[in-house]
Amino acid sequence: MDLLSHLTLGFETAFTATNLLWCFVGVLLGTLVGVLPGIGPTATIAMLLPITFTFAPVTALIMLSGIYYGAQYGGSTTAILINLPGESSSAVTAIDGYQLARKGRAGTALATAALGSFFAGSVATMILAVAAPPLAKVALNFGAAEYFSLLVLGLLVSISLANGSVLKALAMIALGLMLGAVGQDVTSGTPRFTLGFSELYGGISFVSLAVGMFGIAEIFKNLENERTREVGISKVTGLMLSKADFRRIVAPVLRGTALGSILGILPGGGHILASFASYSAEKSLSKNPKEFGHGAIEGVAGPESANNAAAQTSFIPLLTLGIPAHPVMALILGAFILQGITPGPNVINDQPALFWGIIASMWIGNAMLVILNLPLIGLWVKMLTIPYRVLFPAIVIFATIGCYSINSNPLDVYSVFVFGVLGYVLIRLGCEPAPLLLGFVLGPLLEENLRRAMIISRGDATVFLTRPISATLLALGLACVIVAVLPSIRRRRKEVFVEDD
């Protein structure tokens, strides 16, 4: 009964004209950036953070959430039509989706992706609604030592699931922690690492770092590697599934939903891992495995369901523990902080309308996406013909004005381009900026809980090992790092994330 009353509150919050409008804007933008390869939800959310500063908290978070799961839908469109995934999690969809399109069944592939995504997103949102409150109650019993160990576990798991070298991922985490330490000391308030700039007393601007690392750096990268996007499928027909097709996708959609719901909770690339795991599972379970790679509809249904389910359940650690599962969640965590809200287990009790409003908006957003995606296929196809060199000047101007508008501080604008250059250099060196962002966001929380635990224990560092939950979390983190450096696991990670190169 409590769940029903909470969901009623959520729908009452989400069904206001303002929230419905910005939910629509969010999923529309998400679909758009999913369709246009080279932009992505991370860069888009980073660049839109400044304008959400003037929104009500629930409106801002509903829109940003819509961008994220909308991009999971949009990414499948380019994967199917031109064999170029708009989102990394849609890379596996391109394998069979594009082959179906070449056989004249693009409409079937797109309908399969849309329906599977809608079902998986709806089920995963229900899992989020059911699982989040109990997890939040458990988290309320965590002390400073447990929270510190939980944050360490989150960082270490993100390293083990990151693309490329574990050592480079560790270095990015360390750099993020260092940048997060700039500003006033947590306990004494003494300025540190500010280089004499009083503007840095409050720390490095989260928005400037995010826009630079994921907006400007991505622009540099895409301009360097811009490819001409030739749309071979100019007209899409046959958007209704036959009974035979429907029977073939039911089981893959159910299995993909289950896999994605579980793997989405993992820090790092859970949504990417989910789509690859689903494809592998469907191929191994199929009676005709040789059909995969040549236009198997199961190869579209399973992975698309998995990555959309994972997109929804990745909100669980964020909303219940205040721990982001990946860079997009780190940006949404930053949006919480910009709105003056401390993310974590207290949000459910302190801000019930916000918490349940976000969950309710996910059902509304998923319904909007089905309505948007299939009828507007023609528009998305035309959008694919826009050269990236036409888009990037508008993106840069918009991002710069947005960053300046928050504090009217010129240093924030300079910071955007400094971090843009730094992000591009890191990408060229084979380093992922994503762990850096997680380190930057979680660093202050990590330090705060470390200091608090040490004060409570009167300087006894063994408190992290003598408390059972804390010790277990640290042991799990260590196990993740050990597993990540094993040769066989390292090779598998490179295979799974090869589409990011």
Side-chain angles (χ1 to χ4, degrees):
M1 193 65 186
D2 282 344
L3 179 61
L4 184 60
S5 62
H6 288 149
L7 289 176
T8 302
L9 172 63
F11 279 105
E12 287 174 355
T13 303
F15 263 111
T16 64
T18 302
N19 290 338
L20 283 173
L21 172 63
W22 288 107
C23 180
F24 177 79
V25 170
V27 297
L28 180 64
L29 281 173
T31 303
L32 182 60
V33 301
V35 166
L36 293 173
I39 301 177
T42 308
T44 305
I45 290 174
M47 289 184 286
L48 288 177
L49 275 176
I51 70 166
T52 63
F53 190 68
T54 58
F55 290 4
V58 66
T59 304
L61 292 163
I62 282 174
M63 186 190 78
L64 296 176
S65 302
I67 292 171
Y68 172 52
Y69 56 80
Q72 306 305 311
Y73 274 74
S76 63
T77 301
T78 49
I80 290 168
L81 295 181
I82 60 173
N83 199 26
L84 184 60
E87 262 294 283
S88 54
S89 56
S90 299
V92 71
T93 305
I95 299 172
D96 284 285
Y98 182 62
Q99 294 302 320
L100 283 168
R102 291 183 64 187
K103 294 177 181 178
R105 302 191 68 201
T108 301
L110 289 166
T112 298
L115 294 175
S117 297
F118 173 73
F119 175 81
S122 301
V123 171
T125 302
M126 177 57 76
I127 293 171
L128 169 59
V130 172
L135 282 174
K137 286 182 180 178
V138 172
L140 286 171
N141 297 321
F142 278 24
E146 286 79 9
Y147 252 109
F148 171 81
S149 300
L150 180 65
L151 291 164
V152 171
L153 173 63
L155 291 173
L156 293 178
V157 173
S158 71
I159 289 170
S160 67
L161 291 177
N163 180 21
S165 164
V166 172
L167 186 60
K168 288 180 179 178
L170 277 168
M172 290 299 95
I173 288 282
L175 181 56
L177 293 172
M178 289 171 61
L179 292 173
V182 172
Q184 291 178 302
D185 184 271
V186 174
T187 305
S188 67
T190 305
R192 59 187 185 184
F193 313 126
T194 59
L195 304 176
F197 291 99
S198 59
E199 293 89 347
L200 291 176
Y201 281 14
I204 292 172
S205 168
F206 170 77
V207 175
S208 296
L209 183 139
V211 171
M213 285 284 187
F214 293 95
I216 306 301
E218 282 296 317
I219 287 171
F220 291 154
K221 177 185 173 185
N222 291 325
L223 286 175
E224 182 184 60
N225 301 312
E226 183 177 8
R227 285 191 277 176
T228 302
R229 300 190 292 267
E230 295 181 1
V231 183
I233 317 282
S234 58
K235 189 175 181 181
V236 177
T237 57
L239 291 171
M240 295 296 291
L241 293 178
S242 67
K243 288 183 180 179
D245 287 333
F246 190 79
R247 282 195 296 269
R248 288 183 66 178
I249 71 169
V250 170
V253 166
L254 292 173
R255 285 191 289 263
T257 301
L259 267 174
S261 298
I262 295 168
L263 295 175
I265 302 171
L266 296 176
H271 58 303
I272 302 172
L273 195 62
S275 60
F276 275 85
S278 174
Y279 189 83
S280 298
E282 295 310 320
K283 189 174 181 179
S284 62
L285 292 170
S286 175
K287 294 178 181 178
N288 302 299
K290 292 183 179 179
E291 189 178 345
F292 281 75
H294 302 282
I297 196 170
E298 296 89 345
V300 175
E304 277 301 299
S305 302
N307 73 46
N308 279 272
Q312 310 298 111
T313 57
S314 63
F315 282 86
I316 291 176
L318 175 71
L319 294 176
T320 59
L321 304 172
I323 306 294
H326 48 73
V328 173
M329 291 298 111
L331 291 169
I332 294 177
L333 176 68
F336 271 97
I337 295 168
L338 284 174
Q339 294 286 346
I341 299 169
T342 302
N346 288 315
V347 171
I348 296 180
N349 297 323
D350 297 345
Q351 304 268 355
L354 170 72
F355 179 85
W356 294 104
I358 292 172
I359 290 177
S361 75
M362 292 179 184
W363 274 302
I364 298 169
N366 273 285
M368 287 178 175
L369 282 164
V370 172
I371 297 169
L372 274 174
N373 271 265
L374 296 181
L376 295 181
I377 286 297
L379 174 62
W380 305 137
V381 171
K382 289 180 180 177
M383 291 294 297
L384 288 169
T385 62
I386 299 176
Y388 191 73
R389 64 180 179 275
V390 175
L391 293 173
F392 89 85
I395 295 172
V396 171
I397 292 169
F398 178 79
T400 305
I401 293 172
C403 287
Y404 180 77
S405 66
I406 294 180
N407 298 314
S408 299
N409 183 1
L411 185 63
D412 289 346
V413 177
Y414 300 142
S415 299
V416 168
F417 291 97
V418 168
F419 286 119
V421 173
L422 175 61
Y424 175 70
V425 170
L426 291 174
I427 291 170
R428 294 288 294 160
L429 292 173
C431 300
E432 277 192 290
L436 185 151
L437 182 66
L438 291 175
F440 179 79
V441 171
L442 297 181
L445 296 172
L446 194 74
E447 181 184 4
E448 181 184 347
N449 284 287
L450 173 62
R451 294 277 192 92
R452 190 180 298 161
M454 293 298 286
I455 290 170
I456 293 171
S457 67
R458 298 184 179 181
D460 183 8
T462 60
V463 65
F464 301 107
L465 300 176
T466 54
R467 295 175 71 94
I469 295 177
S470 175
T472 302
L473 293 171
L474 290 176
L476 287 172
L478 181 62
C480 287
V481 174
I482 293 172
V483 168
V485 298
L486 292 176
S488 60
I489 302 296
R490 189 166 62 247
R491 284 195 299 271
R492 181 60 181 160
R493 285 167 65 241
K494 288 179 179 177
E495 290 172 8
V496 167
F497 292 102
V498 71
E499 78 281 358
D500 287 337
D501 296 334

